[in-house]
């Protein structure tokens, strides 16, 4: 036993004497000096795990993976990479030799969390090492301090234990807090509470220069608003202070079917309107198309056949999805709201369906879909997803041109299509995230899977046609989770905010090391 231990100690010691080779993108090899005291992983399985993402389209090998046990390690790495030290072998040149990308859960679509030839920082390691815990609910239960590598499902688990909860969610909870805050974090609660980036009080960030900074609307506001929706460009978030509120215990979850597009959008817009507030807690929408897979699993067994026939008869059915939270004490109020919905909404009579589920199960509903698809081998397939925000004023044109003109006209479609309105007023324009300039805009998600008869390139061609149609028709969309490779597309995307974005890059990550997989500054 003692002998084994000392052999391990000896081996560890010998390894620690060997500087680590990092193969940079530019073809210059850089050695991490021993004095940095950083252990990086370069074994094939670590490299290969960090090279892939959910999109399953790109595959970019990093030179190494850092599994940090403290934020200080990440700061050391970035200080070294940004040239604060000049350790490159045989040279006093302090210029950087490698890029660095934080990786949360790697649920990006196009290699956004990759660092070709550089170092991927595994944020899960940092969350696991967090003291006293990855999620710490404040004494007054109004916020939680969360390690950025934590998954939202873990935040939920820790919060509900204290009968509180974050207020706004993504559809899927196995995403890291740092990853969604770098984009926006949107879902069915966004119309009321704003995106996840609007529900953060404070952040700890390590900038591209390796400086550890705490920021908030009052402290270092430029960094705070910059990193929210900032696509990982200004720093690595290590901690986020997330707003909490009372956690309900149960949810009435409804899917309501429409054959008429105008009735569908009229009702959706009425329900998200604060002037006309019926108090639903969640609102989304989906399309069911007869040339796609019609998923009837939500509906009671005895109704599935007639739902499927409705879709076949109309070719397209619009599904309004709403939820109302409740506790035993609020149940009578809920019944009243549902009664009003039943009487006033313009759905196809007889096609309103309801489930009554625990709050946790409602929020975690996509996990069930993942497990189903996984068991069929349909989860780890290419995902040429297209997500965008469409101004309300043009939603009918979008529907006619894209949904009817392009999608319904195809022999087949794949995956889920999200289609729901949300409000602009809960978004802060100081943040880096971009949305259309209209009070109400639609969230559209073409969440397609390739495989079988459809390859991803074919689906990507349809995506290009959708974008082209919007351009040609002057529909001023903003893409979400986009991946542009041409600088002019990024400049167009950020519009009036581009100069500010660039200025912040120079201020916080002057060597342009961070999240190179976004392809903004390469
Ligand atoms: C099944 C599924 C469902 C989804 N549903 C929704 C949804 O409903 N709403 C929604 O808004 N989004 C949704 N998304 C998209 C998701 O929010 C983004 O892909 C998000 O980036 C995923 O988080 P991640 O931890 O996997 O990020 P990663 O892919 O690991 O990273 C994303 C980007 O952020 C950077 N980054 C990661 N962590 C940090 C950090 N701590 N500090 C700074 N930068 C960092 C990375 O370098 C990279 O550029 C969904 C994705 C999937 C796969
Ligand atoms: C190196 O880092 C480890 C933690 O990763 C720490 O325990 C150790 O004390 C450090 N060594 C030196 C010489 O700083
Ligand atoms: C990140 O670290 C976690 C925890 O150690 C590990 O389970 C996971 O596989 C790692 N991810 C990658 C991409 O290396
Ligand atoms: C896509 O996923 C499959 C299955 O996990 C894997 O074998 C393949 O290497 C992945 N391809 C890319 C480009 O990530
Ligand atoms: C549908 O597709 C056909 C054949 O590709 C094409 O001629 C027709 O114009 C399309 N219809 C619409 C509405 O785009």
């Amino acid at each position: 036993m003692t002998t084994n231990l000392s052999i391990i100690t000896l081996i560890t010691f010998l390894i620690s004497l060997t500087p680590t080779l990092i193969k940079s993108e530019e073809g210059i090899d850089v050695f991490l000096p021993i004095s940095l005291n950083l252990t990086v992983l370069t074994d094939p399985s670590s490299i290969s795990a960090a090279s892939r993402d959910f999109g399953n389209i790109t595959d970019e090998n990093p030179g190494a993976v850092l599994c940090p046990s403290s934020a200080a390690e990440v700061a050391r790495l970035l200080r070294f990479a940004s040239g604060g030290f000049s350790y490159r072998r045989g040279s006093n040149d302090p210029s950087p030799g490698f890029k660095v990308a934080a990786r949360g859960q790697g649920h990006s679509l196009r290699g956004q969390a990759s660092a070709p030839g550089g170092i991927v920082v595994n944020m899960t390691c940092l969350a696991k090492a967090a003291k006293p815990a990855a999620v710490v609910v404040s004494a007054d239960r109004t916020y939680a301090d969360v390690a950025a590598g934590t998954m939202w499902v873990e935040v939920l688990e820790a919060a509900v234990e204290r009968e509180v909860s974050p207020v706004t969610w993504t559809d899927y909870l196995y995403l890291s807090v740092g990853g969604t805050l770098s984009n926006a974090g949107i879902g069915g609660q966004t119309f009321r509470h704003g995106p996840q980036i609007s529900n953060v009080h404070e952040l700890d960030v390590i900038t591209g220069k390796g400086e550890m900074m705490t920021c908030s609307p009052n402290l270092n506001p430029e960094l705070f608003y910059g990193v929210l929706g900032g696509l990982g460009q200004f720093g690595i978030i290590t901690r986020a202070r997330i707003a909490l509120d009372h956690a309900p215990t149960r949810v009435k979850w409804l899917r309501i079917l429409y054959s008429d597009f105008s009735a569908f959008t009229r009702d959706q817009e009425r329900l998200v309107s604060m002037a006309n507030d019926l108090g639903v807690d969640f609102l989304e929408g989906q399309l069911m198309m007869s040339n796609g897979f019609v998923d009837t699993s939500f509906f009671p067994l005895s109704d599935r056949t007639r739902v499927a026939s409705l879709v076949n008869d109309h070719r397209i059915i619009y599904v309004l999805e709403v939820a109302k939270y409740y506790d035993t004490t609020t149940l009578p109020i809920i019944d009243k709201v549902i009664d009003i919905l039943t009487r006033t909404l313009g759905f196809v009579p007889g096609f309103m369906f309801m489930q009554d589920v625990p709050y946790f199960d409602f929020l975690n509903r996509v996990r069930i879909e993942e497990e189903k698809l996984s068991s069929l081998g349909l989860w780890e397939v290419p995902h040429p997803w297209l997500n965008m925000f469409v101004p309300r004023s043009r939603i009918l044109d979008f529907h006619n041109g894209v949904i009817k003109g392009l999608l319904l006209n195809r022999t087949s479609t794949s995956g889920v299509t999200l289609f729901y309105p949300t409000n602009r007023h809960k978004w802060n324009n100081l943040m880096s995230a971009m949305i259309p300039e209209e009070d109400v805009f639609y969230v559209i998600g073409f969440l397609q899977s390739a495989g079988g008869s459809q390859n991803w390139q074919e689906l990507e061609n349809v995506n290009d046609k959708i974008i082209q149609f919007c351009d040609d028709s002057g529909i001023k969309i903003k893409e979400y989770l986009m991946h542009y490779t041409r600088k002019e597309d990024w400049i167009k995307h950020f519009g009036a905010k581009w100069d500010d974005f660039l200025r912040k890059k120079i201020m916080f990550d002057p060597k342009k090391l961070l999240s190179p997989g976004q392809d903004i500054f390469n």
Side-chain angles (χ1 to χ4, degrees), residues 82-145:
S82 67
F85 297 83
S86 53
Y87 280 112
R88 190 186 295 177
R89 193 175 54 164
S91 161
N92 291 325
D93 178 3
S95 67
F98 57 91
K99 310 263 180 184
V100 176
R103 177 184 169 104
Q105 288 296 308
H107 276 93
S108 289
L109 300 168
R110 285 295 187 125
Q112 284 94 334
S114 70
I119 297 193
V120 165
V121 179
N122 183 339
M123 297 304 290
T124 307
C125 300
L126 206 47
K128 284 202 191 309
K131 302 246 160 36
V135 181
V136 178
V137 176
S138 64
D140 66 1
R141 300 186 303 164
T142 59
Y143 65 81
D145 280 313

Side-chain angles (χ1 to χ4, degrees), residues 218-233:
N218 301 315
L219 184 66
N220 302 311
E222 292 225 292
L223 182 62
F224 180 73
Y225 291 122
V227 298
L228 293 171
L231 308 175
Q233 294 306 302

Side-chain angles (χ1 to χ4, degrees), residues 433-478:
M434 294 305 299
I435 54 176
E437 298 197 4
E438 263 183 41
D439 290 346
V440 175
F441 58 88
Y442 277 74
V443 175
I444 310 288
F446 300 106
L447 313 183
Q448 323 172 83
S449 303
S453 60
Q454 314 220 33
N455 62 30
W456 67 262
Q457 291 90 342
E458 219 176 293
L459 295 169
E460 196 69 4
N461 285 340
V462 179
N463 290 346
D464 291 345
K465 284 188 188 147
I466 293 173
I467 300 293
Q468 191 62 50
F469 171 83
C470 293
D471 274 357
D472 294 347
S473 319
I475 303 177
K476 294 204 173 64
I477 61 155
K478 284 291 174 200

